Amino acid sequence: MITLTETIEVPRSVASCFRYVADFRTTVEWDATALEASKLTPGPIDEGSRFSVRCKAGRGHLDLTYEITELTPWQCLILEGRGRWFTVKDVITFESLADDLTRIHYVAEFTFRTGLQRLAKRLEPGFKKMGRASLKGLARALTDDNPPPEASRDTQKRDGRLTTALTCFTRYGYRRGQNTWRPMTADMTGKHVVLTGANAGLGFATAVSMLEAGAALTVVIRDPAKAVAMQHALKAETGREADHVELADLSLLAEVSALCERLHARGQSIDVLINNAGALFNDYAETAEGIERSAALLLLSPWKLTESLLPLLQDHARAARVINVVSGGMYTQKLRCDELIMTADKYNGSVAYARAKRALTVLTELWAEAWAEHNIAVNSMHPGWADTPGVQTALPGFRRVTKRVLRSPAEGADTIVWLARATEADHVSGKLFLDREPRTTHLRNRTQERPEERARLLDWLAETYSGLNLNDKG
Ligand SMILES: NC(=O)c1ccc[n+]([C@@H]2O[C@H](COP(=O)([O-])OP(=O)(O)OC[C@H]3O[C@@H](n4cnc5c(N)ncnc54)[C@H](OP(=O)(O)O)[C@@H]3O)[C@@H](O)[C@H]2O)c1
């Protein structure tokens, strides 16, 4: 048997240390040998939760299945792992030394299969070294002092060429990004997140992560029938439901205003607002308020929602965050305010979608500048190409061709989650992100907007809004 014993002290509350370690998927963020980890059982982390962990082993890898056999909140975790060569029992104890100081004691006992004792003897020094490195990694992760995000040289180089930039949209781009990510250990307990479009695709994946991170979650969806299924699915996945469900058809500005009134009446300040709801409409249609629906849903709606919720975003001493989900499609378009609402005769769904997303990207930069003094970080992100119900319905041909390289919804949503959760994401505002790195907002010079168009955007939005056929302009 090989026994490793390590103790670390970290400047974090015992509860947040415990929650982070108990979700053993985080092992890839701190264990010196872990390459991949996933949760095999649905539901909240508890006794019986199982994880699959792939570890480096010489030139190859070794797959282990871990199970939590004992979980005493904030005190002790016991995990048993099984692999081809050995079983391992991890006993992890947590001791609160002060509000923000925790001692973690880690004992790992490896029992090798019969006949492998000589191998175990040979491997012992290497195992001990790895154990020390892993616990140092855990201490670093829980210290959570990552530097502010910036684009690596490689990323900047990739963004300089259309083909390499587009490759980053695929699941391979996600894998490449993942190699350099730092641990995301912030606990969102006590933070209030408002998320639109939470019942499907990227929004649902984001909702799962927000609940797992401990956030209080308000979701905005439009269909009461989908609310029931969504809550059921969230509960099955995380053991929690969204704390509040608000119903609103976000393509209708009167409904956006009514939603804001309800949120104001509730009076709960907002730490993170995620403007995610969206759709690509292949056919032209106007909303009941008399405006082309892409412009309404993808641009006027997040503009109105965010501006109206500003008092709730600046209602506390903490920094607040706004995250606008845009699209790589916006790289094809240039901001021209007069072209934001397409007419029926010239309508092209992808173009209308891309123009609205381009405008939302510019709006992100304008808000970031204007709201820096209010301590609100405003960033946009694009998810690359992810296989969601939205893509399946609106772009079946594109999906057929790209199916093998599409990201999962969780991979597409990762940067939304990171912008909402990571401590270092507070230190950057007005940027467009993909895979946790700020990216270029233009892949071609011809899409650079003229300064007059940029300066006009906010007035254009207010004028367009006041021209809508609303019953009650809130
Ligand atoms: N998937 C990708 O590859 C990709 C790429 C670039 C950008 N995006 C952006 O990512 C965001 C999420 O897209 P997704 O791919 O996850 O799409 P999705 O699977 O279709 O999910 C979109 C969500 O938005 C909601 N929504 C749509 N119209 C709404 C309305 N009028 N009022 C309220 N909610 C509405 C949907 O609700 P219902 O279920 O009721 O329709 C759903 O919850 C969108 O902003 C999209 O433009 C996605």
Side-chain angles (χ1 to χ4, degrees), residues 238-254:
T238 69
R240 292 183 59 199
E241 295 186 339
D243 300 85
H244 297 278
V245 178
E246 294 289 348
L247 296 175
D249 180 339
L250 294 171
S251 66
L252 296 172
L253 277 289

Side-chain angles (χ1 to χ4, degrees), residues 25 28 69 86 89-90 116 122 126 158 232 244 246 306 345 451 468 471 473:
R25 283 174 292 187
V28 284
T69 55
F86 55 76
K89 181 174 177 185
D90 288 355
L116 293 178
R122 256 205 357 253
R158 278 166 196 269
H232 196 264
H244 297 278
E246 294 289 348
T306 311
D345 53 329
L468 292 180
N471 294 332
K473 286 188 180 158

Side-chain angles (χ1 to χ4, degrees), residues 191-210:
K191 299 255 174 98
H192 178 210
V193 177
V194 175
L195 164 67
T196 67
N199 60 283
L202 307 181
F204 182 77
T206 304
V208 167
S209 293
M210 293 294 96

Side-chain angles (χ1 to χ4, degrees), residues 25 39-46 49 204 208 211-212 227-242:
R25 283 174 292 187
K39 187 157 153 268
L40 299 172
T41 42
I45 307 290
D46 209 338
S49 293
F204 182 77
V208 167
L211 291 174
E212 286 177 340
V228 177
M230 177 200 69
Q231 290 287 49
H232 196 264
L234 288 174
K235 179 105 186 183
E237 195 68 38
T238 69
R240 292 183 59 199
E241 295 186 339

Side-chain angles (χ1 to χ4, degrees), residues 197-203 221-223 226 248-251 276-279 297-298 325-328 353 357 383-386 388-391:
N199 60 283
L202 307 181
I221 68 169
R222 61 176 161 170
D223 183 345
K226 289 183 182 171
D249 180 339
L250 294 171
S251 66
N276 164 73
L297 176 64
L298 302 171
V325 179
V326 298
S327 162
Y353 174 87
K357 294 291 192 184
W385 295 322
T388 61
V391 168

Side-chain angles (χ1 to χ4, degrees), residues 194-197 218-221 244-250 252-267 270 273 275 301-302 304-306 308-309 312 474:
V194 175
L195 164 67
T196 67
T218 296
V219 298
V220 183
I221 68 169
H244 297 278
V245 178
E246 294 289 348
L247 296 175
D249 180 339
L250 294 171
L252 296 172
L253 277 289
E255 294 209 12
V256 175
S257 293
L259 163 69
C260 294
E261 276 170 28
R262 294 197 299 277
L263 291 172
H264 277 289
R266 225 170 74 204
I270 298 172
L273 169 63
N275 288 311
S301 168
K304 181 70 186 157
L305 184 68
T306 311
S308 306
L309 294 181
L312 292 176

Side-chain angles (χ1 to χ4, degrees), residues 8-23:
I8 54 170
E9 285 180 11
V10 287
R12 288 285 282 271
S13 77
V14 70
S16 78
C17 292
F18 186 92
R19 273 196 286 264
Y20 178 71
V21 180
D23 185 344

